Amino acid sequence: IFSWGRGELLVLIGTIFFALRNISRRWHTKFLNDAEITQLMHIIGFLLVFSFSQILGEGIPLQNWQLSIFLVVLIGGFFNIALLYLTNIGFANIEANIAGTTLTLGTVFGVIFGFLFYKEIPTIRELFGGIIITLSVIEMNRTSRNKMNVAGITKEV
């Protein structure tokens, strides 16, 4: 059923760290705002990645840089900062189970973007899984909204 190689294992570990980073947002106090927390996370992340790349002997690619490569790295960095900032805001304002379920839509968007950008045709399994994920996100948010309305809570982001 499962084919687990090194890449799949690393993605699984990354997913666990991603989830822990998201829920740890609630551990932060009001001392720093979301933008400051995002900046600190990126500074710490840069230092860790740089250190690990040096330890593993990867080094910094100083040759063969082209404008297209630089733009892709720049755009990727922008998306990474936007992702971290918006998830910091989201996890600070809504329940972790609702935010986590909503984040599973990333898988659905991955299939959609794979089709749009790389012409990868989704399989029946991927389409069926995407439908299940989308319906579960809709239902979780609907149930959460109904629960908040019954409790008299009107907190909206």
Side-chain angles (χ1 to χ4, degrees), residues 23-42:
I23 65 157
S24 72
R25 174 58 184 93
R26 288 261 183 98
W27 301 339
H28 300 151
T29 64
K30 299 285 185 191
F31 181 71
L32 299 174
N33 64 33
D34 291 312
E36 293 165 335
I37 291 170
T38 301
Q39 291 168 2
L40 282 174
M41 286 179 160
H42 270 89

Side-chain angles (χ1 to χ4, degrees), residues 108-122:
V108 176
F109 283 111
V111 172
I112 293 169
F113 292 153
F115 175 73
L116 293 175
F117 292 115
Y118 303 114
K119 306 300 181 225
E120 296 173 350
I121 306 298

Side-chain angles (χ1 to χ4, degrees), residues 66-87:
Q66 300 170 357
L67 180 61
S68 61
I69 294 172
F70 179 75
L71 288 175
V72 167
V73 170
L74 188 68
I75 291 168
F78 171 77
F79 286 148
N80 197 356
I81 290 171
L83 164 76
L84 186 55
Y85 180 64
L86 294 173
T87 54

Side-chain angles (χ1 to χ4, degrees), residues 10-141:
L10 292 173
V11 168
L12 177 64
I13 292 168
T15 302
I16 291 169
F17 284 135
F18 185 73
L20 288 171
R21 186 212 42 99
N22 287 338
I23 65 157
S24 72
R25 174 58 184 93
R26 288 261 183 98
W27 301 339
H28 300 151
T29 64
K30 299 285 185 191
F31 181 71
L32 299 174
N33 64 33
D34 291 312
E36 293 165 335
I37 291 170
T38 301
Q39 291 168 2
L40 282 174
M41 286 179 160
H42 270 89
I43 290 169
I44 293 167
F46 165 76
L47 293 173
L48 286 172
V49 169
F50 182 78
S51 299
F52 282 128
S53 69
Q54 294 303 308
I55 291 169
L56 297 173
E58 291 182 349
I60 300 172
L62 298 175
Q63 300 169 352
N64 298 327
W65 275 86
Q66 300 170 357
L67 180 61
S68 61
I69 294 172
F70 179 75
L71 288 175
V72 167
V73 170
L74 188 68
I75 291 168
F78 171 77
F79 286 148
N80 197 356
I81 290 171
L83 164 76
L84 186 55
Y85 180 64
L86 294 173
T87 54
N88 277 337
I89 292 172
F91 276 88
N93 290 292
I94 60 176
E95 295 176 12
N97 60 341
I98 301 298
T101 304
T102 304
L103 280 177
T104 61
L105 283 173
T107 307
V108 176
F109 283 111
V111 172
I112 293 169
F113 292 153
F115 175 73
L116 293 175
F117 292 115
Y118 303 114
K119 306 300 181 225
E120 296 173 350
I121 306 298
T123 64
I124 296 296
R125 178 188 64 185
E126 291 161 345
L127 293 172
F128 186 66
I131 291 169
I132 291 172
I133 289 169
T134 304
L135 291 175
S136 69
V137 169
I138 290 169
E139 183 60 24
M140 283 286 290
N141 281 293

